Amino acid sequence: MNPRTLSPLLRQAQCLRHAPKPSFRPVIRQHQFTGSSRRPNDLPRNPLDPIALQRIDAQRRAHYNRRSYYAGAGMAFSMVAIYVLMTSWDLPPKPLQNDSPRADVGGIERGTPVVGGVTGGTEIRKVGEGTPTDGDKEKVEQVPTGTSTIPTFPKILNLATDDSGKTGGVPTEYHLMGLGIRTVSFLGIQVYVVGLYIATDDIAALQQALIRHIDPVATTLVPNEKDKLRTKLLDAEIGEEIWTQVLKESGIRTAVRIVPTRNTDFMHLRDGWVRGITTRTQKASQKGSAEFEDEGFAKAMGELKGIFSAGSKKALPKGKTLLLTRDGKGVLQAWCDDAKMGEVRDERVGRQVWLGYLAGKNVASEGTRRNVVEGVMEFVERPVGTVATQVV
């Protein structure tokens, strides 16, 4: 063969023999993410996904539970607010008119307003035996109580009890020492108005008993001595000691006048007194005193409970007067509707009931205690024996 003709064939075969092998490289596509593009795992969850449905249901239940809690709390707050408003702003009682055809009924002219047991500004109170005197028609100064339900208390009471009935039935004049309002619960719900009275003739004995604790030989107290006595009477421990000695040894005659501001009952009042007496007697026993551990005191407490438990008439309506008297020997008597309910002759019981308003850490009415203390301050700033002559 001609070498020239073989030359191209040889070159072609040589080229085929040394031709490079093709290389295969995987093509990697790079995604360029823009602001609107999302990765596969960022795609919105399928609304029909079971887990998503459970979460939505749980959120819905939590939402309605919160609404129920808020609604319940709002309803409770509204009920409490309505109750507070209804009990805090009482309307004044409407005066009753005496429409009797007689021009004069028991010294009361026709048309005279009768409010809260006070007739035209005159307090007429006949208790037990005895007959009213000309003093029944006297106009008596009225003291504001601080509540519109029972707006005033008389400053002077004329009481004819069994004790005074023995002297011809002449009523004994009692002078108001102080008053206040008994409240319960944190809402300050008013229960009754209470006033403490002392026989006018016994004010001198009270003066001497109180002044003796500051200056044994003095007959009156100067301002700084009055402050000392006030501090002692307001002290829980010292005040109880002073009033215990006064009630036990001075022989003063006193009275407690209670007028409910809402309908209540005798058992409610009794339970309050019994709780206070129990607390004080237990405290005395812890200090080593055996004064209240005998059977006689337990029997006397049973008599106190029986006075306010027996009988069908246990209710004490709003505006009706309950009177507790304590004579010079400490005999406690209870009166309602000018009728005697009963008595407890053990002086310790009456003394403990009085201490519930006068002294101790937890008194029945703090306002009453402070008002009584300020009242006796007016007594001790005058010479002994001169207050009774100035009482009108």
Side-chain angles (χ1 to χ4, degrees), residues 307-320:
I307 292 175
F308 300 99
S309 300
S312 59
K313 189 174 182 180
K314 299 180 180 180
L316 187 62
K318 169 184 172 181
K320 188 172 288 294

Side-chain angles (χ1 to χ4, degrees), residues 91-326:
L91 295 177
K94 182 179 180 181
L96 303 177
Q97 298 294 330
N98 178 19
D99 294 329
S100 172
R102 295 176 56 185
D104 185 4
V105 181
I108 305 174
E109 297 182 358
R110 182 177 179 180
T112 301
V114 181
V115 181
V118 181
T119 311
T122 302
E123 174 68 17
I124 302 175
R125 173 63 57 183
K126 176 187 175 185
V127 181
E129 300 296 332
T131 57
T133 63
D134 293 339
D136 293 339
K137 299 181 182 180
E138 295 178 355
K139 297 295 180 181
V140 179
E141 179 183 353
Q142 300 299 310
V143 179
T145 62
T147 176
S148 59
T149 307
I150 310 296
T152 60
F153 256 39
K155 193 171 184 178
I156 300 296
L157 287 181
N158 290 311
L159 306 180
T161 63
D162 286 349
D163 186 38
S164 62
K166 297 179 181 179
T167 60
V170 178
T172 302
E173 183 180 87
Y174 283 75
H175 184 83
L176 179 65
M177 291 193 296
L179 56 79
I181 302 174
R182 161 71 169 167
T183 60
V184 295
S185 82
F186 69 96
L187 297 176
I189 301 174
Q190 298 179 357
V191 181
Y192 59 80
V193 181
V194 56
L196 275 77
Y197 292 79
I198 181 173
T200 304
D201 294 338
D202 296 339
I203 294 179
L206 177 63
Q207 288 177 285
Q208 291 178 347
L210 294 176
I211 292 174
R212 190 180 300 118
H213 288 277
I214 302 299
D215 190 341
V217 297
T219 59
T220 185
L221 296 182
V222 295
N224 62 333
E225 294 175 333
K226 285 174 52 181
D227 294 338
K228 293 180 181 178
L229 179 60
R230 180 186 291 108
T231 302
K232 288 186 175 182
L233 292 177
L234 293 177
D235 184 83
E237 299 292 337
I238 302 176
E240 186 170 353
E241 294 176 1
I242 294 176
W243 282 115
T244 297
Q245 185 177 356
V246 169
L247 295 172
K248 188 176 181 179
E249 301 176 1
S250 64
I252 60 176
R253 294 163 294 173
T254 51
V256 174
R257 185 175 188 261
I258 296 174
V259 182
T261 59
R262 60 183 65 251
N263 294 333
T264 184
D265 55 70
F266 293 119
M267 289 185 291
H268 174 77
L269 299 175
R270 177 205 65 187
D271 293 342
W273 295 326
V274 171
R275 284 195 299 269
I277 293 174
T278 302
T279 301
R280 284 186 294 276
T281 54
Q282 289 178 351
K283 182 179 178 181
S285 299
Q286 293 174 357
K287 292 182 178 180
S289 174
E291 181 182 3
F292 307 103
E293 296 182 358
D294 60 297
E295 295 182 359
F297 182 74
K299 181 179 178 181
M301 287 296 297
E303 294 174 355
L304 176 67
K305 296 177 183 179
I307 292 175
F308 300 99
S309 300
S312 59
K313 189 174 182 180
K314 299 180 180 180
L316 187 62
K318 169 184 172 181
K320 188 172 288 294
T321 300
L322 172 66
L323 197 66
L324 304 178
T325 62
R326 191 173 184 271

Side-chain angles (χ1 to χ4, degrees), residues 9-31:
L9 294 175
L10 291 173
R11 284 196 300 269
Q12 184 177 3
Q14 187 178 5
C15 290
L16 291 175
R17 189 181 306 116
H18 298 285
K21 297 181 180 179
S23 61
F24 297 95
R25 297 179 180 179
V27 178
I28 299 177
R29 296 180 180 180
Q30 297 182 355
H31 295 275

